[in-house]
């Protein structure tokens, strides 16, 4: 891997986008490496939670790499968005293990889109986020026009997209775009603390809950029916046996 760092400790895999001199901008190679790292972490028995962050103190990710697509044709632009969404952004969203974005600075364009693909976001107080694409004459292409309205509501999303402006961490928090705001020093430890709470619970049930929540956002899919199916399937799992038995025996479940 040339552009990312991956470390697994205490069942948490931290994936760090590591191009600090380009503010961790997402070029093609970085997207491919992230895609592979998510696959590997999903398959790794030692991973229960994934934290996505950026290296350095300035940026999570300052966007897709503008230098790489500056001379693209419409066909190449379409392919860039389609391929990126398929191999990374949709993969993160549908990962069966929780993905937390630790937003440690600028999260712009593709950077905010990556953070929004994660299951939830924690920001440091220096974070500034936005979708500046229209200032470049394009629109968000990695799911931003869909996920931003889902997270903050249509009106706020429209304003953010149309103004191409940045909002600070406190505003992102008040919009519900990030769940918590902490100092940069506390960012990773806060994510790890939340990961610790998640890891007390059934990983199989968590994977099913991710599927059921996401189902409600897929056009033509009945989220309530998906919930019924996932709920029913839970009853056939070892984790259900362990969880209910542990409760009745008044002990902590071992998942
Ligand atoms: N793509 C490619 N390179 C990028 C980048 C991006 N999205 N964002 C930052 N960089 C590069 C800069 O070109 C610069 O490289 P250089 O030192 O080789 O010239 C380096 O990262 C540092 O960025 P710089 O602009 O000097 O930092 P700054 O503190 O002055 O400004 C930002 C920070 C985030 C405001 C500014 O970098 C910016 O506006 N970036 C683009 C954001 C954007 O439009 N993203 C959406 C893309 S679709």
């Amino acid at each position: 891997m040339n552009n990312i760092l991956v470390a697994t400790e205490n069942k948490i895999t931290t994936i760090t986008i590591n191009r600090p001199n380009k503010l961790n901008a997402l070029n093609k190679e970085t997207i491919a490496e992230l895609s592979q790292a998510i696959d590997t972490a999903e398959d790794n028995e030692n991973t229960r939670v994934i934290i996505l962050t950026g290296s350095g103190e300035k940026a999570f990710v300052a966007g897709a790499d503008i230098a790489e697509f500056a001379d693209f044709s419409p066909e190449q632009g379409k392919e860039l968005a389609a391929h990126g969404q398929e191999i990374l952004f949709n993969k993160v969203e549908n990962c069966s293990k929780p993905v937390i974005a630790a937003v440690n600075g600028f999260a712009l364009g593709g950077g905010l889109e990556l953070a929004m693909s994660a299951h939830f976001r924690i920001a440091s107080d220096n974070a500034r986020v936005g979708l500046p694409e229209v200032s470049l004459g394009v629109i968000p292409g990695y799911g931003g026009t869909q996920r931003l309205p889902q997270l903050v509501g249509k009106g706020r999303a429209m304003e953010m997209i149309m103004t191409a402006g940045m909002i600070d961490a406190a505003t992102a928090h008040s919009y519900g775009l990030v769940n918590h705001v902490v100092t940069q020093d506390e960012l990773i430890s806060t994510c790890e603390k939340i990961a610790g709470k998640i890891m007390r619970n059934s990983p199989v049930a968590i994977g099913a809950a991710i599927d059921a929540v996401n189902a409600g956002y897929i056009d033509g899919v009945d989220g309530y029916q998906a919930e019924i199916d996932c709920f029913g399937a839970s009853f056939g799992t070892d984790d259900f046996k362990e969880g209910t038995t542990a409760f009745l025996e008044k002990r902590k479940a071992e998942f």
Side-chain angles (χ1 to χ4, degrees):
M1 301 285 193
N2 294 323
N3 305 281
I4 65 171
L5 306 169
V6 183
T8 301
E9 212 178 316
N10 301 326
K11 302 216 176 258
I12 299 171
T13 294
T14 303
I15 302 174
T16 306
I17 300 138
N18 187 35
R19 300 180 75 210
N21 59 351
K22 294 290 172 195
L23 301 185
N24 305 321
L26 296 177
N27 61 2
K28 199 175 165 194
E29 193 180 43
T30 307
I31 288 179
E33 289 179 7
L34 284 168
S35 174
Q36 202 186 319
I38 295 290
D39 281 340
T40 306
E42 198 168 16
D43 291 344
N44 184 350
E45 277 184 12
N46 271 322
T47 301
R48 293 275 297 267
V49 175
I50 299 164
I51 296 175
L52 266 182
T53 195
S55 75
E57 294 187 346
K58 206 167 157 184
F60 173 72
V61 169
D65 193 320
I66 298 168
E68 213 175 53
F69 63 68
D71 62 355
F72 271 16
S73 67
E75 290 70 31
Q76 287 173 302
K78 193 170 174 182
E79 171 57 21
L80 181 77
H83 186 63
Q85 289 194 20
E86 185 193 330
I87 72 161
L88 181 58
F89 297 79
N90 294 350
K91 183 177 286 185
V92 169
E93 180 167 58
N94 294 307
C95 183
S96 62
K97 296 180 178 175
V99 183
I100 306 173
V103 180
N104 58 311
F106 288 116
L108 302 174
L112 179 56
E113 290 172 302
L114 182 62
M116 291 193 296
S117 302
H119 298 125
F120 58 90
R121 292 141 290 284
I122 315 294
S124 55
D125 50 17
N126 65 319
R128 299 188 73 199
V129 312
L131 293 178
E133 284 87 347
V134 299
S135 72
L136 299 167
V138 288
I139 69 164
Y142 289 142
T145 64
Q146 306 304 301
R147 292 190 182 101
L148 188 62
Q150 286 167 13
L151 287 164
V152 307
K154 190 173 169 185
R156 285 170 172 159
M158 285 289 198
E159 183 180 340
M160 285 178 68
I161 291 168
M162 289 175 189
T163 61
M166 296 183 207
I167 58 172
D168 62 16
T171 307
H173 185 232
S174 76
Y175 281 11
L177 187 49
V178 303
N179 291 10
H180 308 278
V181 178
V182 296
T183 64
Q184 195 153 50
D185 283 351
E186 294 170 323
L187 181 62
I188 295 298
S189 61
T190 302
C191 293
E192 288 171 348
K193 209 164 138 191
I194 296 169
K197 287 187 187 172
I198 291 172
M199 289 191 290
R200 289 185 213 143
N201 304 313
S202 157
V204 178
I206 286 170
I210 291 169
D211 280 352
V213 171
N214 283 345
Y217 294 91
I218 303 169
D219 206 20
V221 172
D222 179 353
Y224 291 95
Q225 187 57 49
E227 182 183 277
I228 290 165
D229 294 340
C230 292
F231 179 80
S234 305
F235 286 71
T237 65
D238 290 343
D239 277 12
F240 174 72
K241 238 174 257 150
E242 169 60 11
T244 47
T245 307
F247 178 82
L248 295 172
E249 291 176 354
K250 299 190 186 304
R251 61 172 175 83
K252 272 195 180 156
E254 298 272 339
F255 294 115

